[in-house]
Amino acid sequence: MLRRTVSRLAKQCSSSVGDLSKLQPERAVWDYTISQHMIKDYLCSSRTLTSSSIAASEDKKSTIHVTFKDEKDGSVVTVEAPLGENLLEVAHSNEIDLEGACEGSLACSTCHVIVEDQAYYDKIPEPDDDENDMLDLAFGLTDTSRLGCQVIATEELDGMHVTIPSATRNFAVDGFVPKPH
């Protein structure tokens, strides 16, 4: 099945992968964990597809670890956050109670998180004026406060710990807690 996938993707990219029989199943390459986009990336970039190049691609991270601490109930949960997702999306994907009343449109402060370590906070791009305006409305504001919808998972943030404050200020609908999407 994998050989058919490689052949099909090679045709899509007008790329030659050479003799597929030379690909050796090192490091369980042939178990179906290789995603089609990884194979297509290699084929479309005119690189030679080998089992060692696939293994090297597997070593590249596609997720990071983020720990959420909820001040309301004291729970601590470490999750895998896909690179490129914001912390609000990550929280909702993992059933963590981070409100996000405006659904990430930067119109509220209900996804306020506190970055525990200044070193991680410094790795996040500075908040823009719109985010700062919303943060001014946040409950329990600190020097390392950010809106979860504006913090994007990057490799530099692997291992970051954030705290979800014990309360939020939702001026639109006080007391309403929307369900995660």
Side-chain angles (χ1 to χ4, degrees):
M1 180 171 186
L2 182 60
R3 290 176 194 262
R4 275 194 311 238
T5 301
V6 170
S7 296
R8 180 177 52 79
L9 291 171
K11 288 176 187 171
Q12 287 177 1
C13 296
S14 301
S15 175
S16 172
V17 296
D19 184 3
L20 291 176
S21 65
K22 292 181 182 176
L23 293 174
Q24 299 299 316
E26 300 165 5
R27 291 187 45 197
V29 168
W30 297 112
D31 71 7
Y32 301 104
T33 60
I34 299 174
S35 64
Q36 289 186 13
H37 74 274
M38 283 173 44
I39 296 169
K40 192 170 183 177
D41 286 347
Y42 275 98
L43 297 176
C44 293
S45 66
S46 301
R47 295 186 205 167
T48 303
L49 182 64
T50 64
S51 56
S52 60
S53 63
I54 291 173
S57 178
E58 286 178 326
D59 290 340
K60 290 183 181 177
K61 286 186 170 188
S62 60
T63 61
I64 62 169
H65 294 92
V66 177
T67 301
F68 290 88
K69 177 184 176 189
D70 192 335
E71 283 189 342
K72 286 177 264 189
D73 62 10
S75 64
V76 177
V77 180
T78 300
V79 299
E80 288 190 7
L83 294 177
E85 270 194 24
N86 66 52
L87 293 186
L88 177 63
E89 294 167 330
V90 171
H92 286 181
S93 297
N94 290 280
E95 298 181 14
I96 294 171
D97 190 21
L98 183 59
E99 188 172 339
C102 73
E103 299 181 1
S105 65
L106 203 54
C108 73
S109 64
T110 59
C111 65
H112 169 225
V113 296
I114 300 166
V115 180
E116 292 296 314
D117 187 341
Q118 182 71 43
Y120 281 107
Y121 181 84
D122 293 341
K123 294 176 184 179
I124 303 169
E126 288 191 29
D128 62 17
D129 290 341
D130 290 334
E131 182 179 358
N132 278 325
D133 289 345
M134 290 296 110
L135 280 170
D136 287 341
L137 305 173
F139 175 84
L141 188 65
T142 71
D143 289 340
T144 59
S145 288
R146 292 300 301 265
L147 296 182
C149 66
Q150 299 302 302
V151 179
I152 307 298
T154 62
E155 287 184 12
E156 296 80 27
L157 300 179
D158 190 21
M160 178 173 63
H161 289 241
V162 297
T163 298
I164 301 170
S166 59
T168 62
R169 290 190 179 131
N170 184 352
F171 294 107
V173 189
D174 195 21
F176 175 72
V177 178
K179 295 285 182 192
H181 312 315

